Amino acid sequence: MLTPRRGSGQLIYNLAMRHHFILLLFCSLISAQTLRQAGAQRALLMGAAADSSEQSPDPLVTDAMYASTLGTQYSMLEPENNMKWATIHPAQNTYNFGPGDELVTFAQAHGMNVRGHNLCWQVYNPTWINTYATTATPAQMSTQFQNHINTVVSHYAGKVFAWDVVNEAISDSQTGTGVVLKDSIWYDQPGIGLTGTGYIEQAFRWARAADPNALLFYNDYNIEAPGAKFTALLVMLKDFVARGVPIAGVGIQMHIDTTGYPSSSGFAQNIQAIAALGLQVHITEMDVRIPVNSAGVAAASDLAAQAATYSRILTVCLQNPGCTAFQTWGFTDKHSWIPSSYPGYGAALPFDLNYQPKPAVASMINTTQTVAPVLSASNIVNAASYAAGAVAPGELITIFGANLGPAALVGTTLDSNGNVSSNLSGTQVFFDGLAAPVIYSLAGQVSVVVPYEVAGKSQTVVQYSYNGVLSNTVTVPVTQAAPGIFSANASGTGPGAILNLNYTVNSASNPVAAGGVVVVFATGGGTVQGGAKDGAPAPGTANQSLPVTATIGGQTATVSYAGLAPGLVDGVMQVNLTVPTGLTGAQPLVVTVGTVGSQSGITVAVK
Ligand code: G3I
């Protein structure tokens, strides 16, 4: 009987860990010291708007504390001004990428993401385009608009992961039907020849054409809570999503004070409405202005109210997984637009004039360590096929979105009995209160083996925990079998995780001969004869309890063994198959346990 060698164990381990081949044994029980670490433990980007050489002097090079605070406290930055038309396109045939490139270089040097802002706004445009618009035809404006988007987005493709494509286009006064837009050179003065939200849609399509990977956002203010403006926004979003406009999400600016707007329930409602369309929410420009004296200093009571406000908004973001980034509009009170825009107010950011953390920083870090992670049944999937639904005893599953966990990937550890530990660096997943073996853990993605003790039940109550912070519970149906075949590229489809007779990986360049035997790795086969032990490496072979059949190319493939994979954790199912003759090329492979078949789309390469 063909038993797996070390290669296959590593193959399965890597396949289980979808995106990573790192084995980190140290745990991240470390309490977060920076906003960046705090965000990483929540799978949340923590960002700040930043300036560079469009400012004189350039804070990034002349102010060491500016650079060090930005580079250590944040995992994302956004140019406050230097990717806007006024800075980056100061004359018709002149692009000024210097300031933007400087920030991108800084971000790359500090392992930070860059969020671009913005490709279209009705104000603060350079004089030349405003003048041009006074005599240009819509067709001419369209050309200028497309050229700008194409030039800027292409320049930053692969460096800017997300763009505010259009900023603040929706009017603050709505009529209640449709979407009332602000007048602008892009819309109606003279516009680019499209009606309604046409110019916004066009901007998204041009941005997508220039960068097939960037996440494209619509960004605005006064959409933090339900209201006429948000309703109008939803009308546009629903239309865009329905017609395949390449929008990925909405930037909610969040320029607020401590008076209570937006309410937590109102903000949550808006995030949920946007997430329901399959879109993300980024908090893009948060600041919390408070009264200050002539020296720009605030009272302790206002600083405390500010800290509570930052914590409250962050809490809503963490409680709604659709919210994937939390960014402030600057980070130090030394560089903020608030004092010049709101006389008597200021001190709106987490770090003070001397870059010292204000109460808001500690409150945000504490919030990330205490707000319960969110668990949803639809995010509990077979680790091989990614199919959600019922779980089977011994099934390797992956849980996405439980947004509290190690900032860096933690791989399998064995307990004192040599079994896969059921507490991996603070990560635990309970099934009816029983802790499951944990394969790997990372904030937002964890893989475990469903305990065999669920066998015979109709459902199981699942709960996630990190460092003792418990998630909500979800009830998931239990089934005898839910087979999924691991794929070679961890996508859940395509060439399977299959070994040929000589223990080499089956592939188009290394196919099996028809009539030959292959070893297929899967999970979700359910119980095995003689029983299995949670987290134990399979001591030897043990047949699946239920009958296992298979087809290759739609033809019956003889199953010579289906059961535990010796040496691999109980729950990985090994199936030895004989490839029917008369087949060649990539052939669809389906393994059926009992009456339940594995996912479609998996292939085996036949010579
Ligand atoms: O760069 C020039 C400089 O050369 C010149 O000497 C100086 C004096 O006039 O002006 C500088 O340009 C200023 C620019 O900021 C860079 O500092 C502009 O006058 C000034 O209007 C611009 O203000 C920015 C404003 O957007 C307009 O672009 C603010 O810093 C920035 O915080 C603000 O940010 C906006 C977001 O983009 C969208 N949401 C609201 C938010 C606050 O208004």
Side-chain angles (χ1 to χ4, degrees):
M1 207 288 297
L2 203 62
T3 57
R5 279 204 312 223
R6 212 196 74 67
S8 56
Q10 189 63 35
L11 173 70
I12 291 300
Y13 176 79
N14 292 346
L15 286 167
M17 302 166 59
R18 179 155 182 200
H19 293 292
H20 306 274
F21 293 100
I22 316 153
L23 223 172
L24 298 160
L25 290 178
F26 73 88
C27 67
S28 54
L29 277 174
I30 310 156
S31 63
Q33 304 307 315
T34 65
L35 293 171
R36 177 176 180 149
Q37 286 170 334
Q41 289 186 334
R42 303 302 312 221
L44 184 71
L45 289 169
M46 295 297 270
D51 301 311
S52 67
S53 52
E54 90 287 355
Q55 293 277 331
S56 175
D58 175 349
L60 211 51
V61 289
T62 61
D63 187 339
M65 283 297 288
Y66 186 93
S68 63
T69 306
L70 178 64
T72 56
Q73 289 287 343
Y74 294 93
S75 53
M76 177 173 79
L77 64 78
E78 175 168 311
E80 180 177 10
N81 290 300
N82 59 32
M83 286 185 184
K84 289 173 181 171
W85 272 76
T87 306
I88 209 166
H89 198 174
Q92 184 163 356
N93 302 314
T94 306
Y95 284 88
N96 170 24
F97 288 115
D101 292 357
E102 185 191 346
L103 274 175
V104 167
T105 303
F106 178 89
Q108 291 171 335
H110 292 79
M112 301 168 77
N113 297 275
V114 179
R115 202 177 178 284
H117 174 82
N118 62 67
L119 299 169
C120 173
W121 198 8
Q122 77 282 349
V123 289
Y124 296 106
N125 286 312
T127 309
W128 76 265
I129 191 70
N130 289 332
T131 306
Y132 183 90
T134 56
T135 58
T137 63
Q140 290 171 323
M141 285 304 289
S142 180
T143 302
Q144 293 303 328
F145 196 23
Q146 182 176 12
N147 289 350
H148 178 88
I149 292 175
N150 182 50
T151 304
V152 173
V153 175
S154 307
H155 179 83
Y156 287 115
K159 297 175 182 150
V160 167
F161 85 106
W163 276 100
D164 287 337
V165 176
V166 176
N167 187 48
E168 302 177 8
I170 295 175
S171 171
D172 293 311
S173 45
Q174 294 293 319
T175 58
T177 55
V179 185
V180 179
L181 299 172
K182 292 174 181 171
D183 298 329
S184 87
I185 58 174
W186 311 117
Y187 170 44
D188 57 355
Q189 299 173 345
I192 63 169
L194 298 170
T195 57
T197 58
Y199 85 92
I200 299 174
E201 170 181 347
Q202 186 59 73
F204 275 81
R205 293 190 187 283
W206 283 331
R208 171 56 67 239
D211 183 345
N213 302 312
L215 300 174
L216 305 179
F217 282 70
Y218 173 80
N219 189 55
D220 215 330
Y221 62 89
N222 278 0
I223 55 170
E224 290 84 7
K229 186 173 181 179
F230 184 75
T231 303
L233 169 64
L234 271 188
V235 169
M236 180 179 81
L237 297 177
K238 286 176 181 161
D239 167 53
F240 279 10
V241 170
R243 292 187 301 103
V245 177
I247 186 168
V250 174
I252 297 181
Q253 293 183 10
M254 202 63 78
H255 294 290
I256 60 177
D257 55 25
T258 56
T259 56
Y261 170 87
S263 70
S264 296
S265 57
F267 181 39
Q269 193 181 322
N270 282 18
I271 298 175
Q272 289 153 18
I274 292 168
L277 297 173
L279 303 177
Q280 299 180 45
V281 166
H282 283 179
I283 295 172
T284 52
E285 305 184 14
M286 184 164 181
D287 44 31
V288 182
R289 57 187 177 275
I290 51 180
V292 292
N293 64 19
S294 56
V297 177
S301 56
D302 289 318
L303 290 170
Q306 179 184 70
T309 300
Y310 271 113
S311 170
R312 185 171 66 78
I313 298 298
L314 179 56
T315 297
V316 176
C317 179
L318 293 171
Q319 291 171 335
N320 292 277
C323 180
T324 56
F326 186 95
Q327 179 168 267
T328 50
W329 203 234
F331 54 97
T332 166
D333 295 336
K334 190 174 177 181
H335 293 273
S336 167
W337 74 295
I338 294 290
S340 60
S341 306
Y342 294 86
Y345 283 80
L349 293 164
F351 294 87
D352 69 16
L353 296 165
N354 304 309
Y355 300 98
Q356 297 311 302
K358 292 156 65 180
V361 173
S363 83
M364 284 195 275
I365 290 178
N366 180 55
T367 300
T368 62
Q369 312 273 285
T370 54
V371 170
V374 177
L375 194 57
S376 65
S378 60
N379 284 338
I380 297 178
V381 300
N382 179 288
S385 66
Y386 305 111
V391 296
E395 182 183 358
L396 271 69
I397 61 167
T398 299
I399 300 175
F400 292 101
N403 56 344
L404 174 58
L409 179 75
V410 181
T412 312
T413 60
L414 304 181
D415 62 19
S416 55
N417 301 319
N419 298 330
V420 173
S421 168
S422 61
N423 182 331
L424 183 56
S425 307
T427 300
Q428 293 189 287
V429 179
F430 300 96
F431 291 77
D432 306 317
L434 177 64
V438 184
I439 303 288
Y440 68 80
S441 179
L442 173 70
Q445 186 176 336
V446 58
S447 186
V448 301
V449 184
V450 176
Y452 283 90
E453 286 77 359
V454 304
K457 296 180 177 181
S458 62
Q459 61 183 36
T460 180
V461 175
V462 184
Q463 188 169 34
Y464 173 89
S465 167
Y466 183 64
N467 293 344
V469 182
L470 288 167
S471 75
N472 56 301
T473 60
V474 294
T475 300
V476 178
V478 172
T479 179
Q480 287 186 297
I485 299 174
F486 287 102
S487 62
N489 63 5
S491 66
T493 186
I498 299 169
L499 294 180
N500 294 336
L501 203 53
N502 58 5
Y503 292 108
T504 59
V505 174
N506 174 271
S507 66
S509 58
N510 184 32
V512 59
V517 173
V518 289
V519 176
V520 178
F521 292 96
T523 187
T527 60
V528 297
Q529 295 166 9
K533 187 169 175 7
D534 297 340
T541 59
N543 292 319
Q544 295 301 139
S545 302
L546 291 172
V548 177
T549 57
T551 62
I552 295 179
Q555 295 184 40
T556 299
T558 306
V559 175
S560 51
Y561 173 71
L564 296 182
L568 301 184
V569 66
D570 285 1
V572 174
M573 175 170 68
Q574 173 181 329
V575 183
N576 297 5
L577 298 174
T578 302
V579 178
T581 54
L583 296 174
T584 181
Q587 291 294 330
L589 161 64
V590 176
V591 168
T592 299
V593 179
T595 59
V596 184
S598 59
Q599 80 271 32
S600 61
I602 292 290
T603 60
V604 56
V606 183
K607 208 174 284 175

